[in-house]
Amino acid sequence: MKKIPILLYLLLSVFLTLAQPTEKHIKVQVSADHPDWLYKPGEKVNFSVLVSKNGSPIPQVKIRYEIGPEKQDPWKKETQVLANGSLQVDGGTLSAAGFLRCVVIAEVEGKEYRNLATVGFSPNLLQATVANPTDFDAFWDKAKQDLAKIPLDAKMTLMPERCTEKTNVYHVNIQNYRLGARLYGILCVPKKPGKYPALLHVPGAGVRPYSGDITNAEKGIITLQIGIHGIPVNLDPSVYTDLGAGILNGYPTYNMDDKDRFFYKRVYMGCVRANDFLTSLPQFDGQNLAVTGGSQGGALSIITAALDNRVKFLGAYYPALSDVTGYLYNRAGGWPHYFDKNSRAVNETKAKLETIAYYDVVNFARRLKVPGFYSWGFNDETCPPTSMYAAYNVISATKELYLALDTGHWNYPEQVEKMTNWLTSNLIK
């Protein structure tokens, strides 16, 4: 099989994890009249719209806009021609905690340009909707006990083409939740003899190869970046494209009607098993272990830290799988939107509702005991802020939230810098 250059792996990994929208010549700016985009229930919001080219407003530009609670049907839709390229829009208000969104589409030279702004109404008061099973802890204790009976059977293959002067890089595979099931990842270990902290990277949704976190390994941290699908993570990218469009298309719903066979059980146990491997390494310092990721990986960061008391810190970007039942209460629920208007008829069954309560991030967030750093934006249309706040608000452990208000399902470099600095400062003391 043709080898893929390391630079391609690195670029692919960065793009998939942190991709920002491409800059466009025509810009649609949507903003709110409170600089922090925060309001109290009953307080009126005004949105500002500006359509520009080369930094100047475009005269006689046609727009259409809609306003309503995020991920719900809009209550206001209008089309206007803006004489001077700008508009002030009365957004109304919300009577209770939640998020209100204004989406604007401008038509310029036969093309459409879209942007949005989302404001929060006392989001710190949002309460979770998902049930909290009485036997939640017993269920996961049993799962971990079953996992502990499975031999680790770790295999490490050095990847000389990826090693650096300071770091050894390995493709690793270990036995996961049952005999014969494997978990794959990229391990980066400092070459200099010594004891080091460890950082587990858990993945966002999708099917892809991984490159490993060499950058933090160069700082003196053992890093492990894992996949969740039980397939090697160093294959040609076309393999993952085929799997993602084929047998793994729709994997978040597999066996959702059975809490013991639901797809994410093997995933959650795989994260614990990855920590079994990390803490078994002779180079591990025996104490300092953190976990981080975004989206599905943000969810897995919270879940892993709640399940595994060896984890001392967590960093989560826009966590998915949070309060997914929100749609059943006429508000946004978390990715993968099991109960939105497109999926509710299929998924709103007693068995599936029972299953999801054991897997929702909210119920793991309730049980967190370690410090965490969190970051997201209000314009996220994949992981709605309503769902993320529902999870964040139940956390009683030390927590810090860094908001980049206008971001969607992506990060600014400043967010990544703050997250990385927080993690490394806690791991390297």
Side-chain angles (χ1 to χ4, degrees):
M1 182 175 288
K2 183 179 178 182
K3 290 185 177 179
I4 305 300
I6 184 173
L7 179 59
L8 177 57
Y9 272 113
L10 292 171
L11 290 175
L12 180 64
S13 177
V14 170
F15 172 77
L16 288 168
T17 305
L18 307 173
Q20 293 178 229
T22 303
E23 281 292 326
K24 296 179 180 177
H25 193 199
I26 307 298
K27 298 184 187 302
V28 178
Q29 297 170 264
V30 189
S31 58
D33 55 351
H34 285 191
D36 60 2
W37 289 16
L38 290 174
Y39 298 77
K40 296 177 181 178
E43 192 173 8
K44 182 174 151 182
V45 55
N46 289 298
F47 292 104
S48 297
V49 179
L50 175 65
V51 185
S52 64
K53 179 178 180 180
N54 300 322
S56 299
I58 300 175
Q60 301 303 312
V61 64
K62 182 180 179 181
I63 71 161
R64 61 183 189 272
Y65 70 87
E66 57 184 44
I67 297 172
E70 59 163 351
K71 309 299 285 186
Q72 303 294 303
D73 291 335
W75 59 39
K76 183 177 184 180
K77 299 175 71 171
E78 290 191 1
T79 299
Q80 292 195 27
V81 175
L82 312 185
N84 61 359
S86 64
L87 177 70
Q88 296 291 315
V89 180
D90 180 355
T93 188
L94 292 181
S95 60
F99 283 86
L100 184 65
R101 178 164 287 165
C102 176
V103 178
V104 178
I105 298 174
E107 299 177 23
V108 182
E109 298 173 0
K111 293 187 66 175
E112 291 189 343
Y113 299 84
R114 180 182 186 273
N115 207 347
L116 65 153
T118 311
V119 298
F121 288 79
S122 300
N124 59 307
L125 299 181
L126 281 165
Q127 296 184 7
T129 63
V130 70
N132 183 15
T134 56
D135 64 339
F136 182 92
D137 296 307
F139 176 80
W140 287 110
D141 285 345
K142 174 66 163 53
K144 289 187 290 183
Q145 290 165 11
D146 291 342
L147 177 68
K149 298 173 185 176
I150 305 298
L152 192 61
D153 189 31
K155 304 179 190 301
M156 298 170 54
T157 303
L158 187 68
M159 308 178 78
E161 73 280 7
R162 298 201 197 179
C163 296
T164 69
E165 183 180 350
K166 296 181 179 180
T167 303
N168 280 327
V169 181
Y170 303 86
H171 185 256
V172 302
N173 82 84
I174 56 182
Q175 198 157 230
N176 192 1
Y177 69 107
R178 61 177 171 81
L179 292 174
R182 310 299 295 186
L183 177 75
Y184 294 84
I186 303 295
L187 174 72
C188 301
V189 183
K191 287 183 176 180
K192 184 179 178 181
K195 298 290 186 179
Y196 298 97
L199 177 61
L200 174 64
H201 289 269
V202 284
V207 192
R208 64 181 71 89
Y210 294 97
S211 60
D213 178 8
I214 296 174
T215 300
N216 281 314
E218 302 271 278
K219 299 175 186 176
I221 299 173
I222 301 166
T223 64
L224 175 61
Q225 187 177 46
I226 62 169
I228 63 169
H229 296 295
I231 53 177
V233 294
N234 63 342
L235 304 178
D236 189 287
S238 65
V239 174
Y240 308 100
T241 300
D242 292 343
L243 287 170
I247 192 64
L248 291 175
N249 183 33
Y251 70 82
T253 64
Y254 290 177
N255 297 321
M256 190 177 162
D257 56 357
D258 185 336
K259 67 178 183 294
D260 289 303
R261 298 178 60 245
F262 185 39
F263 179 86
Y264 276 108
K265 186 174 185 180
R266 64 176 290 172
V267 176
Y268 294 6
M269 289 298 94
C271 295
V272 175
R273 180 43 52 109
N275 285 341
D276 291 340
F277 172 70
L278 278 172
T279 57
S280 75
L281 295 172
Q283 297 95 337
F284 178 56
D285 68 11
Q287 182 176 356
N288 296 295
L289 173 63
V291 59
T292 189
S295 192
Q296 176 185 262
L300 295 177
S301 298
I302 294 170
I303 290 159
T304 305
L307 284 174
D308 191 341
N309 61 15
R310 292 171 296 188
V311 175
K312 298 299 186 289
F313 309 98
L314 77 101
Y317 298 105
Y318 33 78
L321 289 158
S322 297
D323 204 42
V324 297
T325 51
Y327 290 106
L328 304 180
Y329 297 83
N330 299 314
R331 71 183 208 198
W335 180 93
H337 309 292
Y338 293 122
F339 304 105
D340 70 2
K341 62 184 178 182
N342 298 314
S343 304
R344 182 170 180 173
V346 173
N347 290 329
E348 193 182 0
T349 68
K350 181 180 178 181
K352 292 180 179 181
L353 286 167
E354 177 185 338
T355 292
I356 208 62
Y358 291 89
Y359 292 86
D360 196 293
V361 165
V362 166
N363 288 330
F364 293 92
R366 298 180 195 278
R367 293 160 169 86
L368 281 176
K369 297 179 181 178
V370 298
F373 188 92
Y374 306 82
S375 187
W376 57 71
F378 285 4
N379 283 346
D380 198 324
E381 296 178 271
T382 302
C383 294
T386 295
S387 68
M388 295 187 286
Y389 270 98
Y392 184 79
N393 289 344
V394 302
I395 297 173
S396 59
T398 301
K399 58 186 178 181
E400 181 178 349
L401 175 59
Y402 179 73
L403 292 171
L405 296 172
D406 63 337
T407 58
H409 205 60
W410 49 273
N411 296 319
Y412 282 124
E414 292 87 345
Q415 289 172 273
V416 179
E417 181 181 7
K418 286 183 179 292
M419 178 73 77
T420 301
N421 289 343
W422 187 89
L423 287 167
T424 55
S425 65
N426 280 293
L427 287 172
I428 304 174
K429 301 175 182 178

